[in-house]
Amino acid sequence: MTDTFLTTAGWPRPWVQWLGLAIVLGIGLLVRLDAPEIGLMEARNFVAAREMHAGGSWLLPTMNGELRLAKPPLPTWLVAGVMHLTGSTTDLGLLRLPSAAGACLLVLFFWALARRLTPPQDRGRTAWLAAVVLASSLLLLTAGRDGNGWDIYCYCFMTGALAAAVRGLQSPGRGWGWFAAAGALIGLSILSKGPVAPYGMLLPFLLACALRGDRAALRRHWPGLVLMAGVGLLLGAAWPLYVLGQHLSEASQVAQTESSSWANRHVQPVWFYVSFPAFMGFWALAAGAALAWPYAAPRIRPYAPYALLLAWALATLVLLSLVPEKKERYLLPVLPPLALLTAGLLRYWLSALRPTGADQWLLRAWAGVVGLALLALPVALRLVRLASFAPETPRYWLTSGLAVAAAAATWWLWRSGARARAAVAATLSAVLLASGLLMPAYPEWQRRRDDPGLRPLARVVRERAGLRHQPVLSVGEMQIKWIWAAGRVVPQWRPEVDSLPQLPVLVYAGARGTAPFPPSVARRFQIETVDSFDLSHQFADGRWYVTEIRPRP
């Protein structure tokens, strides 16, 4: 059995590596994709995709009937494609599949890149470890389960571009095909989120290569790098140039707004990203140790190019920190170099017969924290009092039993001397437990403090056929999440100047009866509030009303 699954050196055979990575990705990214309620950015993407699917323009996306030029269209195309293939415009699990697939592809591209960056005599072992670390990191799992897509796609394609470019740089010939492929992937990245990934991933990687990489290869293959840049710009600029040709004034205004938002929106201090190792999740302690040059450099160098990876990670961090607008998900390009650094340290720990000194203390702290978290899980589930994890339910006992078994296995591996294996096994067990068994309870956790008797808009739309078939307007701007729940385009109506469509018509408004309408409308038509919906999870957050306008008898 050992010969079947493991090599003589004790490492998983290639097919076992593929299977193990597939299990981590499948459980981490695909289990209960429909669980969380829709987010703001998801709603914008899904509404635009729904309008494409309903017959709108694929080259000029719209959101609630108005031009949506603020974001490139590739993520919206992918969601609209899923709607065409499945016929569903409401199943969040299906609509989030493209993002999850993008995260999986990012990990596979990174695996290919890591194999090119690690020594040939390592036989891909460190690269595989790095792929597993990246696949089970906190930020990748959360970004891959989020259907907004823009970040995951742009860095997915850029990671593939780096893998192809490195293959071209290492080619004994000119490597034209690899550089052309890299350029095509750069173009797809630009079509996903504009210049974000060229700035956040490509530029720091090239800077790291110029400082700590093979500069001779860069000089030798400069024609290929020019080809890569040309193909990327040609493909990436195709859609923006088309938009400029069709809607010059609107596109110029959007470009001005988006560029100013980098300096004025979500502004955070320059040290906002200083806690970036925490976004590795349970790998954070090992990731932090891998950044400590005096300790980590001699341990990682036999398995990965330490100086290059550290320069890549730090250059990415510096460039991201220079932009005033900062969000946690913008740290996604830091994960690949950090995952490979972490894997290099894991490779050293797994190869050491019995770690001593600082290694011993780090492994003890890491395995201890994760092991205690596994043991504390049954108690925590009792304290949060979720109905789906009540002590009398099979789900509670299954989750608790697996958590205790994982903690016991960690202890057994530690006592038998396999201390690095104990820490890695505990980490993967915790990630898979959280993704596979705890994630289905996330909606219940989100709604644990909801007021009873709420009527969300989606429920009102399901119960009232008129909201799906009659003309529908809104008085005042509706949030994009409400537009998503409405299931259709809801044009905004200004009663003072706009004419009414054919009556009867249903109107969403922030007040009941005739209050939202001018006296002239109230005198001419019969106005009756027929329903209402709550705006959030508590009554105190407010309510909007559904009003029907009919001709007077």
Side-chain angles (χ1 to χ4, degrees), residues 349 351-357 359-360 363 414-419:
W349 284 340
S351 301
L353 295 177
R354 183 173 289 274
T356 58
D359 303 309
Q360 178 86 342
L363 287 172
W414 184 273
R415 295 295 295 174
S416 64
R419 298 181 176 179

Side-chain angles (χ1 to χ4, degrees), residues 329-348:
R329 59 186 170 88
Y330 292 172
L331 274 174
L332 198 59
V334 181
L335 294 191
L338 192 55
L340 190 46
L341 285 170
T342 305
L345 189 55
L346 294 179
R347 184 77 170 82
Y348 170 81

Side-chain angles (χ1 to χ4, degrees), residues 23-184:
I23 291 173
V24 173
L25 289 172
I27 296 178
L29 292 169
L30 301 179
V31 172
R32 287 305 306 270
L33 269 178
D34 61 328
E37 65 180 35
I38 193 168
L40 175 63
M41 297 300 293
E42 282 186 309
R44 290 173 178 170
N45 193 20
F46 293 169
V47 166
R50 184 174 65 194
E51 292 176 22
M52 281 184 185
H53 170 68
S57 171
W58 285 61
L59 290 177
L60 296 172
T62 59
M63 187 172 69
N64 198 35
E66 299 181 357
L67 279 175
R68 169 67 167 164
L69 305 179
K71 300 290 185 183
L74 182 56
T76 310
W77 290 344
L78 295 174
V79 177
V82 170
M83 291 179 178
H84 269 297
L85 291 173
T86 64
S88 173
T89 60
T90 58
D91 189 328
L92 292 178
L94 290 175
L95 303 185
R96 287 169 176 155
L97 273 178
S99 287
C104 293
L105 191 57
L106 191 158
V107 172
L108 295 179
F109 278 146
F110 171 66
W111 191 4
L113 173 62
R115 288 186 67 93
R116 308 305 302 184
L117 294 178
T118 50
Q121 60 270 22
D122 186 60
R123 300 183 181 180
R125 293 164 183 170
T126 305
W128 175 70
L129 278 176
V132 172
V133 169
L134 181 62
S136 53
S137 60
L138 176 63
L139 184 55
L140 183 119
L141 292 178
T142 54
R145 298 179 71 93
D146 190 339
N148 77 61
W150 284 283
D151 290 282
I152 203 71
Y153 296 134
C154 74
Y155 289 119
C156 161
F157 293 124
M158 189 56 72
T159 304
L162 295 185
V166 170
R167 188 69 180 268
L169 290 171
Q170 294 178 350
S171 174
R174 286 295 185 181
W176 296 114
W178 291 111
F179 288 114

Side-chain angles (χ1 to χ4, degrees), residues 266-512:
H266 303 291
V267 175
Q268 300 293 344
V270 70
W271 58 84
F272 181 74
Y273 292 136
V274 72
S275 61
F276 68 97
F279 292 92
M280 295 294 291
F282 286 110
W283 304 102
L285 191 146
L291 294 170
W293 182 297
Y295 165 79
R299 290 166 169 80
I300 296 177
R301 280 196 191 107
Y303 308 107
Y306 185 82
L308 172 67
L309 295 173
L310 186 63
W312 179 13
L314 294 181
T316 304
L317 188 66
V318 169
L319 290 176
L320 294 177
S321 298
L322 292 177
V323 180
E325 182 185 15
K326 297 178 180 67
K327 295 180 183 179
E328 286 84 356
R329 59 186 170 88
Y330 292 172
L331 274 174
L332 198 59
V334 181
L335 294 191
L338 192 55
L340 190 46
L341 285 170
T342 305
L345 189 55
L346 294 179
R347 184 77 170 82
Y348 170 81
W349 284 340
L350 290 168
S351 301
L353 295 177
R354 183 173 289 274
T356 58
D359 303 309
Q360 178 86 342
W361 284 103
L362 285 169
L363 287 172
R364 180 180 287 117
W366 180 19
V369 168
V370 181
L372 287 175
L374 290 168
L375 288 175
L377 182 59
V379 179
L381 291 176
R382 282 179 175 265
L383 293 177
V384 297
R385 298 181 180 180
L386 298 179
S388 60
F389 281 94
E392 62 272 13
T393 60
R395 181 182 290 178
Y396 171 81
W397 289 106
L398 174 62
T399 304
S400 300
L402 290 175
V404 172
T410 301
W411 174 253
W412 179 80
L413 285 170
W414 184 273
R415 295 295 295 174
S416 64
R419 298 181 176 179
R421 290 177 183 267
V424 171
T427 297
L428 289 175
S429 299
V431 170
L432 296 179
L433 269 174
S435 302
L437 291 174
L438 299 182
M439 185 57 68
Y442 188 66
E444 189 179 352
W445 170 262
Q446 285 181 306
R447 295 191 294 266
R448 68 193 185 283
R449 295 178 181 174
D450 284 10
D451 290 336
L454 292 167
R455 280 180 63 78
L457 177 56
R459 176 179 171 186
V460 174
V461 171
R462 284 197 304 268
E463 294 176 355
R464 288 195 168 272
L467 289 171
R468 300 191 299 272
H469 305 299
Q470 288 180 225
V472 179
L473 303 172
S474 72
V475 175
E477 185 177 359
M478 292 183 69
Q479 293 183 14
I480 194 63
K481 285 188 179 182
W482 308 347
I483 299 295
W484 169 253
R488 59 189 297 189
V489 174
V490 183
Q492 189 172 346
W493 175 47
R494 296 167 296 174
E496 300 83 3
V497 295
D498 294 343
S499 60
L500 273 169
Q502 181 180 359
L503 299 180
V505 65
L506 292 168
V507 178
Y508 293 115
R512 65 167 59 249

